[in-house]
Amino acid sequence: MNTLELTEKENYVIVQMNRGKVNAINHEMVNELKEVFKKLEEDPAVMGVILTGRPHYFSAGLDLIELYQYDEKQIQEFFTAFGALYLQLVQFKKPFISAITGHSPAGGCVLAVTSDNRYMAEGDTYVIGLNEVAVNIQISQNLTEIYAFWMGDGLAHRYIMEGKLLNGKEALDAGLVDELVPLDTVLERSEKQMKHYLKANQEILINTKKKLRKHLWDKLDLNAENSLKEATILWWKPEIRSKMKAYVESFTNKNK
């Protein structure tokens, strides 16, 4: 794998995103995450999974610089794959924890909110949130449902409409993350929670997770292509392409 590193523990696995400094999500990473989580869910020796990132970045979200270069077929395939990954993770039956090692906006937040727990690095600069409106990407109905699942309809509505990124304290108060801990202990705290889960009877734990998420699952559009169809269509609107181009050029110039 080119974008992920796996660490096998006694009865759980740590999946670390490892694609450059900021873990920007491209089609390759999406496909590798889909493949890995499928194998881990099917492996009876694996009882839980922790997803983590690099220091200071869980994931900065979609790699808009690469995605901007995709043609229409590639964009459709990407959004379909990303929608399928979201559905796969939100329905992952085993205990699943996100160790959020820093920034987690947009696509990074999409991955994190599918997990059962989110432990985030403390620090005023780190942010998390579904800011799709602010970056000119159409959010799916599926994503609005899980935001409301964690923080309630009112806050989810307000924050999604604003395209708001939350600092750690705001995310904790909203129920988006479980706890703020020092950066160098995020993974340790996540492993502590995982070990707590794995003391329970696993059939009971899996059945209980299924019951707790039933109302959420019932609201989801299980057609991955359909769930992000609007995003695929709107991606090509001239005014949106113009804003994307300006973003890509400004980011590229910064790194020259």
Side-chain angles (χ1 to χ4, degrees):
M1 289 178 293
N2 295 321
T3 68
L4 306 175
E5 291 184 6
L6 272 59
T7 302
E8 297 182 4
K9 297 289 185 163
E10 182 180 355
N11 49 10
Y12 62 94
V13 172
I14 298 169
V15 178
Q16 181 185 29
M17 293 179 282
N18 188 28
R19 182 173 182 261
K21 178 182 177 182
V22 303
N23 277 330
I25 300 167
N26 67 348
H27 203 160
E28 182 180 33
M29 179 184 277
V30 169
N31 286 340
E32 290 189 353
L33 283 167
K34 286 171 62 182
E35 178 185 351
V36 163
F37 271 85
K38 183 176 186 296
K39 288 180 178 178
L40 296 179
E41 187 164 46
E42 294 173 348
D43 187 344
V46 176
M47 298 166 66
V49 178
I50 296 173
L51 180 65
T52 191
R54 297 168 59 85
H56 310 300
Y57 283 91
F58 180 71
S59 169
L62 303 186
D63 187 344
L64 295 179
I65 294 176
E66 180 172 324
L67 267 59
Y68 182 77
Q69 306 301 325
Y70 288 179
D71 60 28
E72 291 191 33
K73 182 174 183 291
Q74 289 173 314
I75 279 294
Q76 181 177 4
E77 290 175 345
F78 172 79
F79 278 124
T80 299
F82 192 55
L85 173 62
Y86 166 83
L87 288 168
Q88 180 182 352
L89 296 182
V90 80
Q91 296 177 93
F92 189 75
K93 64 183 180 181
K94 299 176 181 180
F96 171 30
I97 296 171
S98 289
I100 303 173
T101 50
H103 295 293
S104 187
C109 185
V110 172
L111 301 180
V113 292
T114 61
S115 58
D116 301 303
N117 299 90
R118 286 160 298 284
Y119 298 101
M120 184 173 177
E122 61 188 14
D124 294 338
T125 62
Y126 298 140
V127 293
I128 184 172
L130 296 178
N131 64 325
E132 276 73 3
V133 169
V135 295
N136 301 294
I137 294 177
Q138 178 61 60
I139 196 169
S140 70
Q141 184 68 40
N142 284 347
L143 275 181
T144 68
E145 297 294 355
I146 200 165
Y147 226 39
F149 180 76
W150 292 119
M151 64 173 67
D153 290 334
L155 276 182
H157 183 283
R158 186 176 306 126
Y159 289 160
I160 288 173
M161 287 291 286
E162 291 177 6
K164 181 177 174 60
L165 290 175
L166 289 72
N167 62 35
K169 177 65 165 54
E170 290 171 325
L172 182 64
D173 290 344
L176 189 57
V177 301
D178 298 55
E179 195 173 320
L180 301 174
V181 297
L183 174 61
D184 60 358
T185 67
V186 171
L187 188 55
E188 177 185 340
R189 178 64 184 91
S190 300
E191 290 189 82
K192 180 180 178 181
Q193 182 63 33
M194 181 60 71
K195 290 173 183 176
H196 173 76
Y197 282 144
L198 300 188
K199 291 177 183 177
N201 176 278
Q202 292 308 290
E203 185 174 2
I204 290 176
L205 198 66
I206 288 171
N207 286 342
T208 301
K209 177 173 177 176
K210 182 178 180 180
K211 294 177 188 301
L212 287 168
R213 293 203 174 203
K214 182 180 184 303
H215 295 301
L216 171 62
W217 293 347
D218 287 346
K219 295 178 180 179
L220 298 178
D221 182 347
L222 300 180
N223 183 325
E225 183 175 356
N226 185 60
S227 66
L228 282 169
K229 185 176 181 179
E230 288 177 319
T232 304
I233 294 170
L234 291 170
W235 180 268
W236 298 106
K237 287 184 73 70
E239 59 268 34
I240 292 177
R241 291 293 289 173
S242 176
K243 291 177 180 177
M244 288 287 179
K245 182 180 180 181
Y247 166 81
V248 169
E249 289 177 347
S250 72
F251 190 86
T252 302
N253 291 335
K254 283 180 183 178
N255 289 276
K256 282 184 177 178

